[in-house]
Amino acid sequence: MKRFFSVLLAFAFIFSTLATADEGMWLYNAPPKDKIKAKYGLELTQEWLDHVRLSSVRFNNGGSGSFVSADGLTFTNHHVGAGCVQQLSTEGHDYIKTGFYAKTQAEEAKCPNLELNQLVGIEDVTDKVNAGVKPEMSAADAGQAQRAAMSQVEKDCSTTTGLRCDVVIFYSGQVYNLYKYKKYTDVRLVFAPEFDIAFFGGDPDNFTYPRYDLDITFFRVYENGKPAHLDHYLQWSRTGVKDGDLIFVSGHPGNTGRLLTMAQLEFLRDVQYPAALKLFVRRIALLQNFSKESEENARIAKEDIFGLQNSQKAITGYQSGLLDKSIMDSKAADETKLRAAFKADPKNAGAADPWDEIAQAIKLQQTIYSNLTYLERMRGFSSHLAQSARALVRVAAEKPKPNQERMREFRDSNLPSFEQQLFSTEPIYKNLETALLTDSLGEMQDALGKDNPDVQKVLQGKTPADVAKDLIANTKLDDVAVRKQLYGGGQAAIDASTDPLIVAMRAIDPSARAARKQFEDKVDSVVRRDGTIVAKARFAQSGFAQPPDATFTLRLSYGAVKGFQENGKSIPFATNIGGAYEHAAEHNNQSPYNLPESWMKSKASLDLKTPLNFVSTADIIGGNSGSPTVNKKGEVVGIIFDGNIESLPWNFAFSDVQGRAVSVDSRGIQEALRKVYGATALADELLGTKAEGAKTGK
């Protein structure tokens, strides 16, 4: 298998010129060096790649970031860092509204549960993962053998290195890589602007361009109580970008479906996405009504509303790709051609059709979707406290088992991260918990039916509102000490607990586990087994012209700084600070186009021509938020914070005709830090001494 992966990489370089434009979220151990050199004349060195990789970080809450000083300064988006900003806020200090700036390191505030991951090593472990798989095994048994092997590989790695070790599945299981991360769990907030400038234009401008946002936040990572010393960090560009410049994006795209079969795409289009969009409409309305009840309610729900509205718009955009007949016809034609080639190959004579088997597995997934979604995946229990209860019930049962036999989230290598989340000191608001749980219990009752045994176990003939009120009012799981006591007491403590949320989670756990097992054995394992066969067939035809679908692991994308045409109008590649004031004036400075007071007071001192946002053809998707945008030298010229609406179908098919990635410009950040916020020390740190050993491409 190692030889196969080497051949795969060789063919990837040869055939990568077949890919559309600058398409690709490329693995760092398989970068498209030849393609970049042929088109842009730049030869990426291994030193450049290693430096940018080691300067990039993953945020465990779903975003990306980068190190930008030798003293642990870390850069991401405001909407990636907003969870910490919200958790550090109180009723009298709303840092989402007012912003936050620690003028000294002593004022930097520790986030309750952020974990940052720096990718320090990649190893091909395909042979190890597949070592226990025998030809006569069923898909379910093979899947279990692979999951057990993955857990063992991760445990061995963590034990010997002290690192976080995750086995990552590529090409549906054709390739398994071991990703080794250095973890930073002492993460402190340094700077965040006001929400009104970080998300200027609000939901109406989200996924549009032109934009005028300062969507940034700075943290600092600490080790042993002191700022971490970093050998690799990205220098800050003083000159920014110009039209046509080659740029790179180093980040963690969350999920794409470019290599999925038609059956999988149709499931997303017809089942999963419509269900998600229906949920977003319901939940946004609930939280908006909750917010109207008081100013404090509005404060604590604001970040949730933002996240739901962002997801709603993103899923709508993804869905548009699957509703685009030209995209689906093209994918269907490609699949038909690939299937014909597979059947024509004498080596496959008499073999089952992997596309048919995947389609049958997806049909089963549709039948179990409700139980899987509402019970196992907890859509019926949209409450932080309920999720803590589930975690405690599950870990008590799983931890005594051998590492290889546990559910993947409770494997030894993951327990430190699991414990950090479980024992987080983030504030919990019981009134918000009650509102969310009421709504989700009601939704579950509607979806599964009043007579469903698990619905009856939870509701016991009462209304969702009455049950939610009772569960949240009487649980003690908002106390970290109680969670630690139950965790330490193991199965005996869970069995003896009378906490109402623990009781509820115990009651539904058998059905939730049954739904999960059915999914793992009859859907996921089949899709992995047959997806591997499809991947081999694709390799035989094209040499894997595409990198694997995104998996929230570090990828390198590239493209050109470039405007686009929209409705016959040329949209320039860049906006400037002056445009933000003009945009606000066009809307009478009314929400969501109201600039913060700090910006209104600083207008006279600002250079209004300073670039603020710009677009490029770099290939991104959700999860890339916070990714550094760097130039040929590996310097920060910006930070990804959005894509336009035309970029959302990139989840399934890339096109740079109108789709663009949107970045905040490094020059606009410097101008704002110095002249709006008086954050001179922070701005100077960004322009500090170059890290020893920093390398660039030639």
Side-chain angles (χ1 to χ4, degrees), residues 35 50 52 137 158 178 184 236 297 342 444 452 463 486 533 627 640 661 677:
K35 186 179 177 185
D50 289 344
V52 174
M137 279 184 170
S158 294
L178 177 64
Y184 293 93
W236 201 264
N297 279 12
F342 173 82
M444 180 175 70
N452 178 277
T463 67
L486 285 167
I533 299 171
S627 301
I640 294 291
Y677 299 104

Side-chain angles (χ1 to χ4, degrees), residues 318-486:
Y318 300 159
Q319 176 82 317
S320 71
L322 299 180
L323 294 172
D324 187 315
K325 188 175 185 300
S326 63
I327 290 177
M328 293 298 276
D329 285 350
S330 175
K331 287 189 172 291
D334 289 344
E335 184 169 299
T336 298
K337 181 179 178 181
L338 190 58
R339 292 179 77 168
F342 173 82
K343 292 178 180 179
D345 190 333
K347 290 183 296 185
N348 299 323
D353 186 315
W355 290 270
D356 281 344
E357 293 191 332
I358 289 174
Q360 291 304 311
I362 297 302
K363 284 183 180 179
L364 175 62
Q365 183 177 3
Q366 188 164 347
T367 67
I368 66 173
Y369 184 74
S370 292
N371 271 3
L372 185 69
T373 301
Y374 287 98
L375 299 178
E376 172 59 23
R377 295 176 178 171
M378 296 284 282
R379 185 177 290 181
F381 302 89
S382 182
S383 152
H384 181 91
L385 291 170
Q387 290 163 2
S388 294
R390 153 65 69 81
L392 287 163
V393 168
R394 283 275 171 92
V395 74
E398 294 295 312
K399 198 174 178 184
K401 298 177 182 178
N403 178 57
Q404 302 96 309
E405 296 177 13
R406 297 177 200 161
M407 292 178 167
R408 290 276 296 147
E409 59 267 36
F410 302 109
R411 64 196 187 275
D412 282 339
S413 61
N414 194 57
L415 283 178
S417 296
F418 169 82
E419 290 169 355
Q420 183 191 10
Q421 295 299 309
L422 183 61
F423 304 141
S424 167
T425 57
E426 66 179 285
I428 295 172
Y429 303 98
K430 282 199 167 185
N431 59 339
L432 179 58
E433 292 276 302
T434 301
L436 289 170
L437 186 56
T438 297
D439 191 59
S440 56
L441 287 175
E443 184 188 9
M444 180 175 70
Q445 180 178 249
D446 293 341
L448 301 184
K450 291 183 178 180
D451 296 331
N452 178 277
D454 292 289
V455 171
Q456 292 181 340
K457 288 176 186 176
V458 175
L459 297 185
Q460 298 181 350
K462 302 176 184 177
T463 67
D466 286 342
V467 171
K469 183 178 180 181
D470 178 67
L471 290 174
I472 299 303
N474 293 300
T475 185
K476 299 294 189 294
L477 296 183
D478 52 323
D479 186 337
V480 176
V482 171
R483 299 200 295 271
K484 288 184 176 180
Q485 184 179 26
L486 285 167

Side-chain angles (χ1 to χ4, degrees), residues 187-257:
V187 184
R188 306 188 191 182
L189 180 62
V190 176
F191 172 86
E194 306 93 333
F195 179 87
D196 286 342
I197 187 61
F199 195 43
F200 180 67
D203 188 58
D205 277 11
N206 197 19
F207 296 114
T208 70
Y209 193 79
R211 292 292 290 278
Y212 308 90
D213 288 25
L214 190 72
D215 194 349
I216 63 168
T217 298
F218 289 94
F219 296 93
R220 194 181 305 278
V221 292
Y222 280 67
E223 290 185 295
N224 301 316
K226 297 180 179 179
H229 173 75
L230 303 173
D231 294 324
H232 291 274
Y233 64 89
L234 300 176
Q235 283 207 288
W236 201 264
S237 170
R238 296 171 183 264
T239 56
V241 295
K242 62 182 185 298
D243 198 9
D245 277 359
L246 169 65
I247 55 87
F248 297 87
V249 173
S250 181
H252 301 79
N255 183 274
T256 55

Side-chain angles (χ1 to χ4, degrees), residues 658-676:
Q658 288 185 306
R660 292 293 184 272
V662 189
S663 298
V664 188
D665 195 291
S666 60
R667 292 165 292 182
I669 295 169
Q670 277 283 331
E671 184 78 0
L673 289 177
R674 294 180 186 279
K675 296 182 181 179
V676 177

Side-chain angles (χ1 to χ4, degrees), residues 61 63 136 141 172 198 237 275 450 474 520 633 649:
N61 62 349
E136 67 276 8
D141 289 342
S172 293
S237 170
K450 291 183 178 180
N474 293 300
E520 289 181 343
K633 297 179 181 179

Side-chain angles (χ1 to χ4, degrees), residues 103-104 122 160 240 359 424 453 479 528 537 542 551 554 563 597 635 648:
K103 295 181 179 179
T104 67
I122 305 172
T160 56
S424 167
D479 186 337
R528 189 180 305 181
S542 66
T551 51
L554 189 62
E597 184 180 354
E635 298 172 331
L648 293 176

